[in-house]
Amino acid sequence: MGRAPCCDKDNVKKGPWSPEEDAKLKAYIDQFGTGGNWIALPQKIGLKRCGKSCRLRWLNYLRPNIKHGGFSEEEDSIICNLYISIGSRWSIIAAQLPGRTDNDIKNYWNTRLKKKLLGRRKQSSINRLSSTNPDANLAEDSSSSQALSNSALERLQLHMQLQNPISFYNNPSLWPKLHPFQEKMLLQSLSESSNPLMQYAFPSPQQGDEQKVDIYGQLVDSETLQQGHPKFSNSNVAGLENSLNAITSSDSSIPFTNGNHVMDLTTVPRAGMVEKSDAAAQPVVSNFQSELENFLNSKSSGFTAQEDQIGEFDCFKEMNGSRGGMNWWSNDFETKSASSNSWDSTSALQSEGMFQDYELGYTM
DNA sequence: AACAGTTTCAACCGCTCCTTG
DNA sequence: GCAAGGAGCGGTTGAAACTGT
């Protein structure tokens, strides 16, 4: 038995809001506030809308000082940086960007920023696999491609770009043990990426004579890449790395900065969605390592579907479903990496954090 | 001009967590 | 401690706008 619906779904209007509805809602909230009860609000003002719909409309469009579109590069960096560190916690990310809503950022990430940073490689990977790879019938399975587009892998890819891109992409021994299909797809995805660093690390035969472009689509040559591409050595990216180190470091005193934007990581987590009752013992944000581990262990539906088709794989037998595989990966990489223990994205956020800003962002 | 394919984004859905009685 | 109901969240959908042919 499911829970009772929050409203009478037969008697509520759905779809786009009219200017009249907007005006009613705005006028009421401006005058009386939400009254702490969104469910009852539409009845009070004679709107045939679900309370949740009113709340969403107010938070995303009607409340004052909302910005739409026109994301700056600084905002891009913040979004990217936080996504790498904490994943799709859009409300937390939104709290760091005044005037932005979680919905807006989520849409912006999914439709633009992700493509801008990771390149449009998924479809080409699938196409190429299906035309050249004997395993194409399996690889092009939608569940497989969905598994590869998992946010954990996106974050891995972005993370490595910022941390130590050349050495990581150039050294397969540093990579995690992937399922053969996953590894194959990851390799092809990386080699086909429009990102110059990946192209440098994995020059594609088809692309060998092509000029390389940076993440902003500007031309860049190999020498520049070896010496350090300006885009990756300017203060903006330095700020990003600094931020990443801060957010992943156990030393929460390191300021979380991005350029001249300094984020407050010294406040207490907000009570509510993020801080659980036993928050002191649990990471507030997902642990990237465990997320990746879950992905690799493929309890997800995506890989289960493949297992139905092709059975169990030796690599997973070897891993024996234990944490060993990922421990090898994380520990080994940590010792080899010159940078911080960047896999643990939890500590800074857990102990202190950006959650006060988050709270402020949602305080009306 | 017409059509198809792609992208964008507002809105909805269903879930989890919190609060309250 | 438990259950009910509300708030808030992330994922997804689908219509509109845009772009390419």
Side-chain angles (χ1 to χ4, degrees), chain A residues 22 60 70 88 96 153 164 182-183 188 206 273 304 325 345 361:
Chain A
D22 282 347
N60 286 344
S88 56
Q96 299 300 328
L153 276 183
N164 195 4
Q182 293 166 340
E183 185 168 355
Q188 295 204 352
Q206 292 92 332
M273 294 302 292
T304 303
S345 63

Side-chain angles (χ1 to χ4, degrees), chain A residues 1 24 29 38 85 98 128 141 173 177 203 205 217 255 309 322 359:
Chain A
M1 254 201 49
K24 265 188 181 179
I29 295 178
W38 284 107
S85 300
R128 188 169 145 193
D141 177 80
S173 69
K177 288 179 180 174
Q309 291 180 319
S322 73
E359 184 176 15

Side-chain angles (χ1 to χ4, degrees), chain A residues 118-122 124-125 128-129 148 157 169 175 182-208 210 212:
Chain A
L118 292 177
R120 302 180 186 215
R121 67 183 191 285
K122 287 176 198 164
S124 63
S125 292
R128 188 169 145 193
L129 279 166
L148 193 66
Q157 201 170 333
Y169 287 114
W175 303 351
Q182 293 166 340
E183 185 168 355
K184 191 178 296 181
M185 293 184 70
L186 178 60
L187 269 168
Q188 295 204 352
S189 297
L190 295 175
S191 67
E192 291 181 7
S193 169
S194 62
N195 186 293
L197 293 167
M198 296 175 197
Q199 291 187 1
Y200 174 68
F202 299 104
S204 164
Q206 292 92 332
Q207 297 175 318
E210 290 174 10
K212 295 170 174 50

Side-chain angles (χ1 to χ4, degrees), chain A residues 289-329:
Chain A
Q289 176 181 329
S290 66
E291 191 177 334
L292 192 54
E293 181 182 358
N294 288 339
F295 166 67
L296 294 172
N297 285 331
S298 289
K299 296 301 178 191
S300 67
S301 57
F303 193 65
T304 303
Q306 279 195 352
E307 285 179 330
D308 291 340
Q309 291 180 319
I310 60 181
E312 199 174 357
F313 288 89
D314 288 340
C315 66
F316 286 105
K317 288 177 183 170
E318 288 169 12
M319 289 170 72
N320 198 25
S322 73
R323 305 179 66 87
M326 282 309 299
N327 283 343
W328 162 83
W329 150 243

Side-chain angles (χ1 to χ4, degrees), chain A residues 22 25 38 52-69 94 99-107 362 364:
Chain A
D22 282 347
L25 182 60
W38 284 107
K52 290 172 74 170
S53 182
C54 294
R55 175 185 161 272
L56 197 70
R57 186 68 185 170
W58 170 257
L59 289 176
N60 286 344
Y61 300 96
L62 299 180
R63 75 185 155 115
N65 304 320
I66 295 290
K67 284 191 282 185
H68 288 292
R100 300 293 185 186
T101 69
D102 53 357
N103 207 36
D104 223 18
I105 293 170
K106 178 173 60 183
N107 283 332
Y362 273 77
M364 291 184 290

Side-chain angles (χ1 to χ4, degrees), chain A residues 130-141:
Chain A
S130 62
S131 62
T132 63
N133 191 320
D135 294 324
N137 59 326
L138 292 170
E140 72 183 348
D141 177 80

